[in-house]
Amino acid sequence: MAYKPQFYPGATKVAENRRNHINPAFELEKLREIPDEDVVKIMGHRQPGEDYKTVHPPLEEMDLAEDYVRDLVEPISGAKEGHRIRYIQFADSMYFAPSQPYDRSRLYMSRFRGVDCGTLSGRQVVELRESNLEAISKNYLVDTELFDPATTGIRGATVHGHSLRLDENGVMFDALQRYEFDEATGHILYVKDQVGRPLDEPVDVGEPVPQEKLKEITTIYRKDGVAMRDDMEVVEVVKRIHRARTLGGYCPLNEIFDAYL
């Protein structure tokens, strides 16, 4: 019997959005076109046009010992070239941001190869070979529905206080003031890179996604939106995992399931 992945339970729109993010066959909606060099500027790891720094020679030039696993796993392009590993980190507002840290880690590991994810309550960092990271950041993480200029922040440091406050323009609070709302155009401009270093010129990442669309594409359960308690299948699955872990100690037995679930 062919295996059919079950990405996420639930019958609500939030559950459907979570399934779509994790499903690599689902095409994310493209909402904007940010130039490659502008994404590079915000990330701040190298200057646009600068060669990628390497940490080892190209794999083809290396005299490596025989390794069965290496023969099985095709290296990604950045690994073949020896590019160094860099990161990008996002903070997502609780106010109907398109994604959130756990959703990001699930979709990164489901859709991309060679990623190393770090998941915290209010931020998510992903590490990858630099050239691959830039391509993913531009084509998936910034240009598509995963990013809202107002409620999603690219923050390599000091993300704190981000989720609880929106200003009069609906823009998420940033202690380092990396971006600002341009009242003349209605767009968000990054004036600093992700760790807070000033940019030579602002980077325009477009206009905020309207609130109604945010509520349609969000992956966040909220009492004033779609409440998790209204999604009974999700509640049942979460309770089952919690009880099996708590009572079964990571090794749940049939007796545990039969007695408590």
Side-chain angles (χ1 to χ4, degrees):
M1 182 174 67
Y3 171 69
K4 185 177 181 181
Q6 300 179 58
F7 296 110
Y8 198 84
T12 61
K13 183 59 178 171
V14 171
E16 179 184 345
N17 293 337
R18 291 186 177 195
R19 279 194 293 274
N20 290 340
H21 283 191
I22 301 171
N23 183 1
F26 180 83
E27 186 173 354
L28 299 167
E29 183 182 1
K30 186 169 184 176
L31 298 181
R32 62 193 67 80
E33 180 71 46
I34 308 299
D36 293 1
E37 64 177 31
D38 284 351
V39 176
V40 170
K41 289 177 182 175
I42 295 175
M43 294 173 68
H45 299 306
R46 69 184 183 99
Q47 294 297 318
E50 181 184 1
D51 289 341
Y52 292 108
K53 293 183 172 59
T54 59
V55 291
H56 60 74
L59 292 181
E60 290 186 351
E61 299 177 9
M62 298 179 70
D63 185 18
L64 300 170
E66 291 187 6
D67 187 313
Y68 181 69
V69 174
R70 188 184 302 119
D71 293 337
L72 288 176
V73 181
E74 174 73 16
I76 59 176
S77 59
K80 289 181 179 177
E81 298 300 321
H83 296 161
R84 63 182 179 175
I85 292 175
R86 300 285 93 177
Y87 73 94
I88 189 167
Q89 181 167 263
F90 288 89
D92 302 288
S93 170
M94 294 173 63
Y95 291 98
F96 305 107
S99 190
Q100 26 82 11
Y102 281 91
D103 177 66
R104 289 186 179 278
S105 284
R106 291 167 184 151
L107 80 88
Y108 291 173
M109 290 187 285
S110 177
R111 289 175 176 266
F112 312 127
R113 296 179 61 231
V115 298
D116 187 7
C117 302
T119 313
L120 296 92
S121 61
R123 72 179 90 170
Q124 205 283 348
V125 62
V126 59
E127 296 180 340
L128 188 61
R129 298 283 182 162
E130 188 169 11
S131 53
N132 302 107
L133 178 69
E134 289 178 1
I136 288 174
S137 299
K138 185 252 183 307
N139 296 320
Y140 289 92
L141 309 185
V142 176
D143 279 0
T144 73
E145 61 182 281
L146 295 177
F147 184 79
D148 168 34
T151 60
T152 308
I154 304 174
R155 304 180 182 185
T158 314
V159 303
H160 311 93
H162 66 281
S163 66
L164 301 179
R165 282 172 278 183
L166 300 179
D167 68 11
E168 66 273 18
N169 297 309
V171 180
M172 183 168 57
F173 171 81
D174 180 9
L176 296 187
Q177 298 181 314
R178 275 162 278 221
Y179 46 79
E180 58 190 27
F181 182 78
D182 185 349
E183 294 187 355
T185 63
H187 288 198
I188 303 294
L189 306 177
Y190 270 79
V191 295
K192 298 178 181 177
D193 69 11
Q194 68 170 334
V195 295
R197 293 173 297 206
L199 298 172
D200 292 337
E201 54 186 22
V203 170
D204 188 339
V205 293
E207 60 186 3
V209 176
Q211 273 289 306
E212 288 307 310
K213 185 170 181 63
L214 277 181
K215 291 183 178 180
E216 184 68 19
I217 65 175
T218 187
T219 55
I220 298 175
Y221 287 105
R222 285 181 59 94
K223 187 177 181 179
D224 55 353
V226 177
M228 178 175 279
R229 291 182 183 277
D230 294 337
D231 209 328
M232 290 311 301
E233 187 182 17
V234 173
V235 173
E236 290 176 4
V237 170
V238 171
K239 288 169 66 177
R240 180 180 176 86
I241 293 173
H242 173 65
R243 289 175 179 171
R245 173 180 168 180
T246 303
L247 302 174
Y250 292 104
C251 187
L253 305 174
N254 287 335
E255 291 79 1
I256 296 293
F257 284 97
D258 293 340
Y260 298 102
L261 302 180

